Amino acid sequence: MEKLLFESSIQGNVTDLIMLLQEDPLIIDKVTLNSSGDTPLHVASMLGHVNFVMEIVIRKPYLVMETNSERRLPLHIASAKGHVELVRFFLSAIRSSEACLARDSDGRNPLHLAATKGRLEVVKLLVQAQPEAARAMVQHDTILHLCVLHNQPEIIKFLIETDGDHEFVNSKDSYGNNILHLAVVHRQIETINLLLLNTSVEVNASNTNGETPMDILAQGPRDLKYKQILRSLISAGAVEAQISGIQISLDRLENNTKQAMVSPLKIKESPRNYDNWLDTKRNSLMVVASLIATMAFQAGTNPPGGFWQDNSPTDSHHQPGYAVMVSNAPNTYQAFLVCSTVGYVSSLTIILLLISGLPFLKHVLVMWILSVIMWIAITSMSLTYLISILIWLPQDKPDEIGTVATFMVFGWMGLMSLIVVSHIIRLIVIIVRLTVPLIAIAMKVFRRLLFL
C-alpha cells in the first residue's frame, strides 16, 4: 500500500489516494513516520499536483510542517519549482510566518530557493506573506547576494523596489563584497546597470582586500564586457580604491614595478624568490666589480710598454719612472688613461654602493641602474684592452693583427650596445606604464575635486 501511495503521489491520482485512505486511514501517517526522505506530500508538491496536495492537507493539515531529509517543507519544494497555486494554498493553509522563515539544511528559507531559481511570482507571494524572509541571511550572504550569484536580475529588481533601503542594498558578505562587487566579478552587465541606475548601491565600497568594484574589474580580461562595464562604472562615479581614499598605495605600485621588471627573467612573484633574486644579483655585481677594479688598477699602474729606465736629454718625458706611451703615443695614452679610469671609477662606485647597505638598494630599479654602470665599466675595459693590443703590435704587421682585434672588440661592443639600448627602451616602457596610471589617477582626482 505504501508503494501504491507513492505511485499515486507521482501521478497525482486523487481517486487512488481516497481508496487507499478508505482501506487504511493511517497510511499517510505510517509512510511519513517510516520515510527518511520525501513524503507523498513532498513528491506531489514537487510535481505540482494541486488537487492531490489539497486532498492530503485537508485530511492531514499538520503534514505541511513535516520536513524531509534535507529539512525542507513542502513549501520549500513548491517554491523552488515555481508552483504558484501550491504556494498560495500552503500560505493560506498554514502559519505563513513560521513556514516562510523555516530553513533547510543549507540555511535557506522558501524565499531563498524561489529567488535563486528565478520564480518571480512565487517571490511576490512569499514577500507579501512574510517580508522578514527577505532579510534572512544565509551564513553571511543576503538574498541579494544569492540572486547575483545565480544571475537573477528580475528578482533583484523586485526585491529592491519592494524594500531596497540603503542598508539592505549595501549589505556585505564574509569577504566584504556588496552586490555590485559580485556583479562585476561575474560580468553581469544587466545587473550592474540595474544597480547603478535604480539603487543607492555604493559604487566605491571596499571589500576586505581594500578593492572597489573598479579594482575588481581591472583584474579581469579586457574584452567587450570589460569596456561596457567600465563605461557604466565611470558614469556612476566609480573609481579605484586609491582614488576613493584620495591616496595612492605605494605597496601596490612597488609590487607592480617588481612584477614588470622581474617577470622577463622568469622569476616567481613571491617575496622570498624576489629577495633571493636580489641577493644573487648583488653578489654577482660585487664579484664582477671587484675583478674589473683589479684589472683597471693594474692597467693604470702598469701601462703597455712599461716605464723608462734612463734619461733622455732631448725629451722631457723620457725620464726614469715615466710611461713609455707618454713619449711614443701621447694621444693614445690619454685615451688609454681615460678608459681605464672610467672602468676603475665605475667598478668602485658599484662596490661602494653595495657595501653601504642603504635601504634603497633593495629596490629592483636601483639594481638595474647598477647593471648599467657595470656595462659602462665592462665597455671601458674592452677599449682599454684594444688600446693595449694596438700598442703592443709589432711594427712590421700592424694592419693584419690590429684589424682583427679592432673588429672583434668593436663587434662585441656593438652587441653590448644593442643589449644596453634594448634594456633602456624596456626601462622607459616600464616607467611609462607606471606613470600613465598615476597621471590618470591624478586627473580623476582633479575632476572629482573640480565638481565638488
Side-chain angles (χ1 to χ4, degrees):
M1 291 183 64
E2 294 179 2
K3 181 179 179 181
L4 292 174
L5 179 59
F6 274 104
E7 291 178 354
S8 62
S9 65
I10 294 174
Q11 299 171 2
N13 194 324
V14 178
T15 302
D16 289 346
L17 173 63
I18 295 175
M19 291 178 56
L20 291 171
L21 289 173
Q22 289 176 349
E23 294 183 24
D24 186 357
L26 298 178
I27 181 63
I28 297 179
D29 300 272
K30 293 178 181 178
V31 171
T32 303
L33 180 63
N34 296 328
S35 175
S36 59
D38 293 325
T39 67
L41 185 57
H42 286 94
V43 174
S45 300
M46 184 185 303
L47 298 175
H49 299 317
V50 179
N51 294 331
F52 192 92
V53 169
M54 292 177 64
E55 191 68 31
I56 293 179
V57 173
I58 291 174
R59 297 171 181 269
K60 309 285 184 179
Y62 64 89
L63 292 179
V64 295
M65 297 301 295
E66 194 72 28
T67 61
N68 61 7
S69 58
E70 296 178 338
R71 293 173 55 190
R72 290 181 177 176
L73 301 174
L75 179 61
H76 281 93
I77 296 176
S79 300
K81 298 296 290 185
H83 300 313
V84 180
E85 293 301 321
L86 273 180
V87 172
R88 184 179 288 110
F89 171 73
F90 281 133
L91 294 177
S92 63
I94 58 177
R95 300 185 297 272
S96 59
S97 60
E98 183 179 351
C100 289
L101 296 175
R103 295 176 180 267
D104 61 11
S105 57
D106 296 325
R108 305 190 180 195
N109 60 35
L111 179 59
H112 292 138
L113 296 178
T116 56
K117 294 295 184 180
R119 316 300 186 186
L120 181 58
E121 295 302 320
V122 174
V123 169
K124 293 179 180 179
L125 291 175
L126 294 173
V127 170
Q128 182 179 4
Q130 181 51 268
E132 289 301 318
R135 298 282 179 160
M137 303 279 288
V138 181
Q139 294 180 348
H140 295 281
D141 294 333
T142 66
I143 189 172
L144 294 179
H145 287 92
L146 296 177
C147 288
V148 174
L149 292 174
H150 291 82
N151 196 15
Q152 300 295 343
E154 292 186 0
I155 307 298
I156 295 174
K157 181 179 180 181
F158 169 77
L159 293 172
I160 292 176
E161 291 175 349
T162 303
D163 189 15
D165 59 36
H166 184 271
E167 181 181 359
F168 181 53
V169 172
N170 291 285
S171 298
K172 295 185 176 183
D173 60 13
S174 57
Y175 299 100
N177 295 312
N178 63 16
I179 52 178
L180 183 59
H181 283 98
L182 295 182
V184 172
V185 169
H186 296 285
R187 302 297 181 97
Q188 297 176 6
I189 298 177
E190 182 179 357
T191 301
I192 292 171
N193 292 333
L194 168 66
L195 296 176
L196 295 177
L197 296 176
N198 302 312
T199 70
S200 59
V201 66
E202 296 179 1
V203 296
N204 293 316
S206 298
N207 58 18
T208 54
N209 292 327
E211 298 170 331
T212 65
M214 187 72 84
D215 292 313
I216 292 177
L217 178 64
Q219 299 172 10
R222 305 297 177 92
D223 52 10
L224 180 60
K225 285 188 176 181
Y226 167 84
K227 296 179 180 179
Q228 295 175 340
I229 296 173
L230 181 62
R231 284 196 294 267
S232 299
L233 290 176
I234 292 177
S235 300
V239 294
E240 295 182 1
Q242 295 88 342
I243 305 177
S244 62
I246 314 298
Q247 62 181 12
I248 299 175
S249 173
L250 296 179
D251 291 338
R252 184 173 179 183
L253 180 61
E254 184 170 354
N255 289 335
N256 290 339
T257 305
K258 293 177 183 177
Q259 178 181 356
M261 301 189 73
V262 180
S263 57
L265 299 177
K266 299 182 179 180
I267 297 174
K268 295 182 179 179
E269 298 176 8
S270 64
R272 178 177 298 178
N273 287 332
Y274 174 73
D275 292 339
N276 291 338
W277 177 80
L278 281 180
D279 290 337
T280 304
K281 189 77 172 178
R282 283 194 293 265
N283 294 334
S284 300
L285 288 175
M286 177 64 78
V287 172
V288 177
S290 300
L291 291 175
I292 292 178
T294 302
M295 291 187 296
F297 179 83
Q298 184 68 22
T301 55
N302 293 280
F307 302 95
W308 292 113
Q309 304 298 320
D310 55 358
N311 294 324
S312 173
T314 60
D315 188 355
S316 60
H317 295 292
H318 188 157
Q319 301 293 331
Y322 278 45
V324 175
M325 287 182 64
V326 176
S327 299
N328 296 344
N331 294 331
T332 305
Y333 179 74
Q334 291 180 2
F336 171 83
L337 190 60
V338 169
C339 291
S340 61
T341 303
V342 170
Y344 184 68
V345 173
S346 299
S347 58
L348 286 184
T349 301
I350 295 173
I351 295 173
L352 179 62
L353 290 175
L354 290 177
I355 65 176
S356 64
L358 296 175
F360 65 82
L361 292 174
K362 296 181 179 180
H363 199 286
V364 67
L365 182 60
V366 178
M367 300 306 299
W368 278 93
I369 295 175
L370 292 180
S371 298
V372 173
I373 298 175
M374 178 59 69
W375 292 328
I376 295 174
I378 294 174
T379 302
S380 300
M381 295 311 300
S382 299
L383 292 174
T384 302
Y385 169 79
L386 177 61
I387 294 172
S388 301
I389 291 297
L390 295 178
I391 291 296
W392 291 342
L393 284 177
Q395 297 300 318
D396 57 341
K397 294 183 179 179
D399 295 335
E400 299 176 7
I401 303 176
T403 302
V404 174
T406 303
F407 176 78
M408 293 182 64
V409 172
F410 278 96
W412 181 87
M413 289 178 58
L415 177 61
M416 176 67 72
S417 300
L418 290 177
I419 296 175
V420 173
V421 171
S422 65
H423 280 281
I424 291 176
I425 294 174
R426 182 168 167 271
L427 184 60
I428 294 174
V429 172
I430 292 172
I431 294 174
V432 171
R433 287 180 179 177
L434 295 176
T435 305
V436 170
L438 293 178
I439 296 175
I441 290 173
M443 293 296 295
K444 291 179 181 178
V445 173
F446 177 76
R447 287 198 297 267
R448 292 191 64 187
L449 295 176
L450 187 64
F451 288 104
L452 288 179

